[in-house]
Amino acid sequence: DQDAARTIVATTRDADREKLSSLERMGIEVLIVDSDEWRRVELGHLLKELGRKSISSVLAEGGAGIITSLIAQGQADKLVAIVAPRIMGSGIDTIGDLGTLNVDQALRLSFDRVYRSGDDLVIEARRGTRD
């Protein structure tokens, strides 16, 4: 139910307290979680905390960093890629280094649905298994 959706911002103990207070005044729930070795939100801990709040489905929007982390850690079971007919900057950089050196190590995807939305191409896929 979209009307019941709430916004939760996850961050680490290093976050600016003034900014966090500002978010809370706007009605946004702030969730402080452990940090990883790069002082970023530790995704496994975040997902466990969300599970404790009975949240079983998460939409993670982001760039190559968050997408690569979720896939590499086995935390993503569905991928929705939206490809716009525009290329900016240095080109397309969607997923970073997953440590796969050959095709046999590649992450398999099972395509559920491919369709157009306006000018964009939308690809919905589920995580398969590595061979």
Side-chain angles (χ1 to χ4, degrees):
D1 182 276
Q2 198 67 17
D3 294 331
R6 63 183 191 233
T7 301
I8 300 173
V9 171
T11 189
T12 67
R13 290 170 183 79
D14 297 328
D16 180 293
R17 297 292 172 207
E18 189 174 314
K19 289 180 182 177
L20 298 180
S21 293
S22 177
L23 290 171
E24 289 172 334
R25 284 192 300 274
M26 290 188 287
I28 295 171
E29 181 179 350
V30 175
L31 187 60
I32 306 292
V33 297
D34 293 340
S35 57
D36 64 14
E37 61 189 284
W38 299 282
R39 297 178 62 196
R40 299 179 302 199
V41 168
E42 203 288 310
L43 296 173
H45 183 235
L46 170 60
L47 294 174
K48 286 178 187 172
E49 289 299 315
L50 293 174
R52 286 187 187 105
K53 293 178 172 292
S54 298
I55 297 172
S56 61
S57 179
V58 176
L59 169 64
E61 289 186 75
I66 188 73
I67 293 168
T68 302
S69 294
L70 287 167
I71 290 172
Q73 294 176 27
Q75 302 290 356
D77 56 17
K78 182 175 181 179
L79 174 70
V80 177
I82 301 173
V83 182
R86 296 170 185 85
I87 298 175
M88 296 173 51
S90 60
I92 299 171
D93 186 14
T94 306
I95 299 176
D97 185 4
L98 291 174
T100 53
L101 302 175
N102 59 53
V103 173
D104 293 338
Q105 296 174 318
L107 174 70
R108 288 192 158 303
L109 295 175
S110 172
F111 292 108
D112 292 337
R113 194 170 164 211
V114 179
Y115 59 95
R116 290 185 71 144
S117 177
D119 289 339
D120 297 341
L121 177 65
V122 180
I123 303 166
E124 295 181 14
R126 296 212 173 264
R127 182 183 180 102
T129 59
R130 289 185 187 219
D131 290 341

